[in-house]
């Protein structure tokens, strides 16, 4: 290995560590917020106030940065006739200026109309004083998407220069700022201290990257570049991605709107349940999807469809082996797990029961959410962003229909179940649609894996249920630790018995 390769390996390892630290701090953030506010109407207002600032960022900045700016900026850096990278810096300046203008205008309009938007769109079911609080919090947090837009541009620039340390530090500092705000500002300012912490976190997210940017000697051009072909390429590429992100954000908005009509704390419980489901999904599915995407893209570029099909099939089967037991574990151990992680301070036993109710319905969607991460990467590798977006919009409509049908009999649990059902249908549809593109998807092997993993999961679940009954009222530490240890051992044993050859092939494929 050459020195440069060793440096890249060390950098990749450091970034992975920082990613794990950021996830851990995200969990600590929720633990601290939970201890401060539990599942209260005040926290409901804070979460509802997040919806519009998040939507502005993801639709305007997120769409451009995630799928359009980075590849276009990287391409301009490689132009041999431009050693000073003037075209790249002109592009970065133009996109930064456009983003700053658009996000600022949208933030100002949203701030002016905050209360009417809360009353009619975001949280019409809140009490009047809760709606006023939501609008106040929203006005504070609307500063964040403006800052995040610029921070995201810098992140894209640094990644294009193969610098990953500062961008990896940014979310760590963001979470840390909110944690510090919860500890030191909330006692004096209440929930408004959390909103200020969000803005402080966005500012930290930006500032930590500035020194690395300055070392690249950037050039700034006061232009919008509307006639610049590179800028037009960014706007062209971001279109489908923005539509896909819009579907996701509208789903969140629908859930907030409907949950606001329910008992106080419903939106908070729904949010905690969602975050608990995302813990294994983020570790397992996003890790596999991120690792496999460059390989899928390279195979597609070389026209090696057979190998692409085999690689995608292997990733999907690996997810089936991993997510089914994780979903069962979340379902069976949800109460002691929530007690262990969150139940302290204002997060009472009632908060645990409310969160566990939402998590029970979200847990059934873990497999679908995880498979979705990988199958969409398959479409992107085939240079097809329109199909996942179209199906995602259809899933958004289904989520609304299911939510309206299920909210009356199941309360906020119906909103969680609606998300699970819509995502499951979305995932199955995409799996069906990608088959003809690849000449099949190895359906028999997928079904075989599903059956064998399900059998091992049922054996694991039976062992955990027996253990929980024998343990009785033991401490959450013992219930969670013992349940995970016993469940893991039983699942590993039965998985080895039922799928010995398949597990070996997956290990070799890795």
């Amino acid at each position: 290995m050459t020195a440069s390769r060793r440096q890249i390996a060390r950098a990749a390892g450091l970034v992975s560590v920082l990613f794990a630290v950021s996830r851990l701090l995200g969990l600590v953030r929720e633990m601290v917020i939970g201890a401060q506010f539990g599942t209260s109407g005040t926290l409901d207002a804070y979460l509802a106030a997040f919806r519009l600032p998040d939507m502005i960022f993801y639709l305007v900045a997120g769409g451009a940065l995630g799928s359009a700016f980075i590849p276009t900026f990287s391409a301009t850096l490689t132009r041999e006739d431009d050693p000073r990278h003037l075209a790249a810096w002109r592009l970065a300046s133009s996109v930064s200026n456009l983003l700053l203008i658009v996000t600022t205008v949208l933030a100002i309009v949203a701030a002016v109309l905050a209360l009417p938007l809360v009353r009619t769109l975001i949280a019409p079911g809140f009490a009047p004083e809760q709606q006023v609080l939501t609008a106040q919090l929203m006005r504070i947090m609307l500063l964040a998407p403006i800052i995040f837009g610029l921070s995201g541009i810098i992140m894209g620039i640094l990644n294009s220069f193969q610098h990953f340390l500062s961008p990896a530090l940014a979310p760590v500092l963001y979470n840390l700022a909110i944690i510090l705000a919860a500890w030191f500002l909330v006692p004096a300012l209440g929930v408004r201290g959390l909103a200020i912490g969000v803005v402080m976190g966005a500012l930290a997210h930006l500032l930590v990257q500035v020194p690395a940017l300055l070392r690249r000697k950037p050039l700034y051009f006061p232009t919008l570049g509307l006639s610049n072909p590179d800028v037009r390429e960014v706007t062209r590429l971001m279109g489908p991605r923005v539509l896909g992100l819009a579907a996701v954000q509208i789903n969140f908005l629908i859930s907030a709107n409907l949950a606001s009509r329910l008992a106080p704390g419903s939106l908070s419980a729904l949010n905690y349940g969602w975050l608990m489901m995302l813990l294994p999904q983020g570790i397992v599915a996003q890790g596999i999807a991120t690792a496999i995407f460059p390989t899928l893209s390279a195979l597609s570029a070389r026209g090696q469809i057979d190998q692409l099909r085999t690689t995608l099939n292997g990733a999907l089967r690996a997810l089936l082996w991993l997510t089914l037991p994780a979903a069962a574990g979340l379902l069976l151990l949800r109460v002691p797990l929530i007690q262990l992680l969150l139940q302290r301070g204002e997060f009472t036993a009632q908060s645990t029961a409310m969160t566990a109710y939402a998590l029970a319905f979200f847990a059934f969607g873990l497999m679908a959410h995880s498979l979705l991460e990988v199958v969409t990467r398959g479409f992107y590798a085939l240079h097809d962003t329109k199909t996942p977006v179209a199906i995602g919009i259809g899933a958004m409509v289904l989520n609304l229909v299911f939510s309206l049908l299920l909210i009356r009999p199941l309360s906020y649990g119906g909103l969680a179940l609606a998300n699970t059902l819509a995502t499951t249908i979305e995932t199955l549809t995409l799996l069906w649609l990608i088959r003809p593109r690849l000449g099949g998807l190895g359906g028999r092997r997928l079904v075989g894996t599903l059956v064998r993993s399900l059998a091992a999961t049922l054996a694991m679940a039976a062992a955990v249920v027996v253990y929980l009954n024998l343990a009785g009222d033991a401490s959450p530490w013992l219930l969670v630790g013992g349940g995970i240890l016993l469940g893991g051992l039983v699942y590993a044993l039965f998985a080895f018995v039922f799928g010995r050859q398949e597990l070996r092939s997956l290990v070799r494929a890795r």
Side-chain angles (χ1 to χ4, degrees):
M1 181 182 288
T2 64
S4 60
R5 288 184 178 179
R6 284 196 298 270
Q7 292 171 358
I8 293 172
R10 285 196 298 268
L14 181 59
V15 169
S16 298
V17 170
L18 290 174
F19 179 79
V21 170
S22 176
R23 287 288 175 141
L24 179 61
L25 283 176
L27 177 59
V28 172
R29 179 194 69 203
E30 297 306 317
M31 293 168 64
V32 173
I33 292 174
Q36 295 275 6
F37 298 101
T39 49
S40 62
T42 300
L43 186 60
D44 285 350
Y46 169 77
L47 295 172
F50 243 118
R51 294 278 56 91
L52 202 57
D54 259 9
M55 181 173 286
I56 291 174
F57 169 71
Y58 281 111
L59 296 190
V60 179
L65 302 177
S67 60
F69 174 73
I70 293 175
T72 308
F73 183 82
S74 297
T76 60
L77 287 177
T78 63
R79 295 178 184 172
E80 296 181 356
D81 60 344
D82 188 14
R84 296 182 60 196
H85 307 309
L86 295 179
W89 294 121
R90 188 173 285 108
L91 170 64
S93 299
S94 299
V95 174
S96 298
N97 294 335
L98 287 169
L99 276 177
L100 184 61
I101 291 172
V102 174
T103 53
T104 300
V105 169
L106 289 176
I108 292 173
V109 172
V112 172
L113 301 176
L115 190 55
L117 286 171
V118 170
R119 287 174 173 169
T120 60
L121 182 65
I122 298 172
F126 282 175
E129 62 274 12
Q130 196 177 7
Q131 291 176 336
V132 171
L133 176 61
T134 302
Q136 292 173 347
L137 297 174
M138 185 192 303
R139 290 189 179 107
I140 297 172
M141 290 191 287
L142 279 167
L143 292 170
I146 301 173
I147 301 170
F148 272 130
L150 294 177
S151 181
I153 289 290
I154 296 175
M155 183 178 290
I157 292 171
L158 294 178
N159 285 343
S160 299
F161 277 104
Q162 299 300 308
H163 175 82
F164 302 100
L165 175 58
S166 298
L169 275 172
V172 172
L173 294 184
Y174 171 72
N175 283 321
L176 187 59
I178 298 178
I179 292 170
L180 293 175
W183 273 336
F184 297 109
L185 296 184
V186 166
L189 301 176
V191 72
R192 292 172 182 81
L194 274 186
I196 294 172
V198 170
V199 178
M200 291 169 52
L203 194 59
H205 194 282
L206 169 67
L207 293 179
V208 73
Q209 300 181 82
V210 170
L213 175 67
L214 294 178
R215 286 195 294 271
R216 271 72 191 172
K217 298 180 179 179
L219 299 174
Y220 174 74
F221 296 88
T223 177
L224 299 181
L226 298 179
S227 60
N228 186 329
D230 293 327
V231 176
R232 291 183 176 181
E233 178 68 5
V234 170
T235 58
R236 183 189 70 81
L237 291 175
M238 70 181 286
R241 181 60 175 158
V242 165
L243 290 176
L245 289 169
V248 174
Q249 292 299 312
I250 291 173
N251 272 334
F252 288 137
L253 190 60
I254 290 170
S255 293
N257 183 300
L258 295 176
S260 74
R261 306 167 191 267
L262 302 173
S266 296
L267 181 56
S268 300
L270 200 64
N271 180 69
Y272 285 124
W274 170 255
L275 293 174
M276 294 291 286
M277 188 274 291
L278 286 184
L279 285 176
Q281 191 265 356
I283 295 171
V284 175
Q286 291 185 9
I288 291 177
T290 301
I292 199 176
F293 186 42
T295 300
L296 295 178
S297 299
L299 292 173
S300 175
R302 293 195 294 264
Q304 297 174 322
I305 301 301
D306 289 343
Q307 291 91 329
L308 193 156
R309 178 179 63 248
T310 300
T311 304
L312 185 62
N313 178 277
L316 293 172
R317 288 188 292 127
L319 282 177
L320 290 175
W321 279 113
L322 295 170
T323 57
L324 273 173
L330 276 181
L331 183 64
L332 296 174
L333 299 172
R334 64 189 187 279
V335 172
L337 183 62
I338 294 167
Q339 290 173 334
L340 180 63
L341 295 178
L342 298 174
Q343 189 171 313
R344 57 185 56 84
E346 293 299 317
F347 200 101
T348 62
Q350 181 183 0
S351 300
T352 293
M354 293 178 67
T355 301
Y357 182 63
L359 180 55
F361 294 104
F362 278 130
F364 285 103
L366 174 60
M367 183 178 70
H369 279 286
S370 300
L371 295 177
L372 185 62
E373 289 286 335
V374 169
V375 71
T376 52
R377 299 305 200 284
F379 279 98
Y380 296 155
L382 296 170
H383 300 278
D384 180 3
T385 57
K386 293 182 180 179
T387 299
V389 167
I391 302 304
I393 293 173
M396 176 196 70
V397 176
L398 281 178
N399 182 71
L400 173 59
V401 173
F402 288 140
S403 295
L404 294 174
L405 291 174
L406 297 172
I407 189 173
R408 185 176 295 274
L410 298 175
S411 185
Y412 60 91
L415 302 180
L417 181 57
N419 177 280
T420 291
L421 293 174
T423 303
T424 300
I425 294 173
E426 178 183 8
T427 302
L428 292 174
T429 303
L430 287 174
L431 288 171
W432 180 262
L433 291 176
I434 204 171
R435 289 171 62 253
R437 311 282 185 91
L438 303 177
L441 195 57
R444 289 185 179 180
R445 300 186 72 185
L446 284 173
V447 172
T449 298
L450 177 62
V451 171
R452 286 184 284 272
S453 178
L454 183 59
T457 298
L458 291 174
M460 178 204 82
V464 172
V465 168
V466 171
Y467 171 76
L468 292 176
N469 287 330
L470 293 175
D473 295 328
S475 71
W477 281 98
L478 185 61
L479 292 175
V480 173
I484 291 176
L485 179 60
L486 176 63
L489 290 174
V490 172
Y491 183 79
L493 174 62
F494 278 85
F496 180 76
V497 172
F498 293 150
R500 184 183 309 173
Q501 296 300 323
E502 185 172 57
L503 289 173
R504 287 176 178 174
S505 68
L506 286 174
V507 171
R508 288 195 298 268
R510 187 188 65 180

